Amino acid sequence: MINDIHPLADGVRLRPVALGDAASFAETLTRSRAYMRRWDPVRPEAFYTPEGQLQRLTALLADRDTGRVMPWALADDEDRVVGAMTLASIERGPFRNARLGYWIDVDRAGRGLATAAVTRVCELARDGLGLHRVEAGTVVDNTASQRVLAKCGFEHYGTAPRYLHINGSWQDHRMFQRILHDGPPQR
């Protein structure tokens, strides 16, 4: 289930990230760089290269193999990356929680793709990983992402001052959570 391919919308599917995605990630992130700048950390130029993405994906997949992270790519009909979803800081035991991060290619933004992907990732977090809760944070003025989270059943529960270093400075974030179920921890 977690490693399956999940159709979303407009010929886009959610699938596990692979090392072979490095060049496609580099291309899409470069194209979307100016658009995403106000919500992203300042990154070195090497981040936007296929080699930089290969290094990043290698580390990400190593973390996946430990169970701490689950990364997915959003891929179009030609298997080009058009976005990503990541559950990070996955915790088991009584907490059963993960942090959600995501982005969508500038050319696909505003079409409901993020909403479809976040909805599916939450289902996979519940049914495939047995998680109880997913949390997400957005820069205070990222109202588009806040609307996505609200549509997907997340509730705002507070503001974290100077939470992440984004676009060159420490930024306050609105914090959201979605409770996936109220049953006891499984597995």
Side-chain angles (χ1 to χ4, degrees):
M1 169 182 279
I2 289 290
N3 292 315
D4 292 344
I5 295 173
H6 306 273
L8 296 174
D10 296 331
V12 175
R13 63 196 185 286
L14 180 76
R15 63 161 176 76
V17 166
L19 289 179
D21 293 327
S24 188
F25 265 103
E27 179 183 329
T28 303
L29 287 165
T30 298
R31 181 176 52 253
S32 300
R33 185 176 186 177
Y35 169 72
M36 294 192 305
R37 179 171 284 125
R38 60 188 170 153
W39 305 303
D40 270 354
V42 174
R43 305 203 190 265
E45 289 302 315
F47 178 85
Y48 297 95
T49 66
E51 296 79 16
Q53 285 302 302
L54 182 59
Q55 285 182 329
R56 183 183 75 84
L57 294 178
T58 299
L60 193 61
L61 293 176
D63 281 345
R64 180 205 58 200
D65 292 345
T66 69
R68 293 187 305 247
V69 173
M70 186 58 213
W72 290 276
L74 279 68
D76 67 11
D77 286 332
E78 296 176 23
D79 209 32
R80 291 179 301 218
V81 172
V82 296
M85 298 276 150
T86 304
L87 289 175
S89 302
I90 297 172
E91 293 189 46
R92 304 294 181 176
F95 195 24
R96 316 247 1 133
N97 182 74
R99 285 190 226 146
L100 174 67
Y102 59 93
W103 59 270
I104 302 295
D105 181 353
V106 62
D107 294 338
R108 301 280 182 140
R111 299 183 191 177
L113 187 54
T115 300
V118 168
T119 297
R120 187 66 184 130
V121 165
C122 285
E123 292 167 354
L124 293 167
R126 181 192 63 222
D127 301 337
L129 296 173
L131 298 181
H132 165 71
R133 177 181 180 271
V134 173
E135 63 183 72
T138 72
V139 173
V140 171
D141 67 351
N142 189 347
T143 56
S145 192
Q146 293 162 19
R147 280 193 306 272
V148 166
L149 294 170
K151 286 185 216 173
C152 295
F154 283 74
E155 61 183 330
H156 174 249
Y157 69 89
T159 301
R162 296 177 302 284
Y163 184 66
L164 292 174
H165 199 263
I166 299 294
N167 195 20
S169 65
W170 291 102
Q171 299 283 325
D172 296 350
H173 278 60
R174 294 191 74 204
M175 303 305 293
F176 296 83
Q177 69 177 359
R178 179 172 169 188
I179 304 300
L180 302 174
H181 68 84
D182 283 324
Q186 303 294 314
R187 294 183 244 161

